[in-house]
Amino acid sequence: MYLGITLNRLGDFPSAKSSLQKAIELEPADCTIYLNYALILFNNGYNSDAKEQFLNSEKVFGTLDDEDKEPEMLDQREVLAERLGLAIDDW
């Protein structure tokens, strides 16, 4: 996941996408990967794909225990949901 974030920051969006897709293959139960992928897609103008990855993140997020829900992740969820025009209560 961190490689994908770094590649995106370096301006290599195609490699960032590939890296995050691989990270999802390796860790499909990690909602932070989906969330970071959604953020990167959104920031690069792929709103529909970002929404899909955000919803994937929410599916996994819903299975987490409260102590596993990191405050930073909660903030990122809310901001991205708002930018994508979603209300977190919608699902």
Side-chain angles (χ1 to χ4, degrees), residues 29-54:
D30 186 341
C31 67
T32 59
I33 298 171
Y34 294 101
L35 183 60
N36 279 292
Y37 191 19
L39 285 164
I40 287 171
L41 289 165
F42 178 80
N43 288 334
N44 283 281
Y46 292 85
N47 294 1
S48 178
D49 293 336
K51 187 180 279 190
E52 179 183 343
Q53 293 306 320
F54 180 81

Side-chain angles (χ1 to χ4, degrees), residues 8-64:
N8 186 63
R9 287 185 179 162
L10 292 171
D12 190 352
F13 176 64
S15 293
K17 273 182 66 175
S18 294
S19 176
L20 287 159
Q21 289 166 350
K22 184 64 174 178
I24 288 170
E25 283 178 35
L26 295 172
E27 295 287 340
D30 186 341
C31 67
T32 59
I33 298 171
Y34 294 101
L35 183 60
N36 279 292
Y37 191 19
L39 285 164
I40 287 171
L41 289 165
F42 178 80
N43 288 334
N44 283 281
Y46 292 85
N47 294 1
S48 178
D49 293 336
K51 187 180 279 190
E52 179 183 343
Q53 293 306 320
F54 180 81
L55 294 174
N56 287 337
S57 175
E58 287 298 295
K59 288 177 191 172
V60 177
F61 183 82
T63 68
L64 296 178

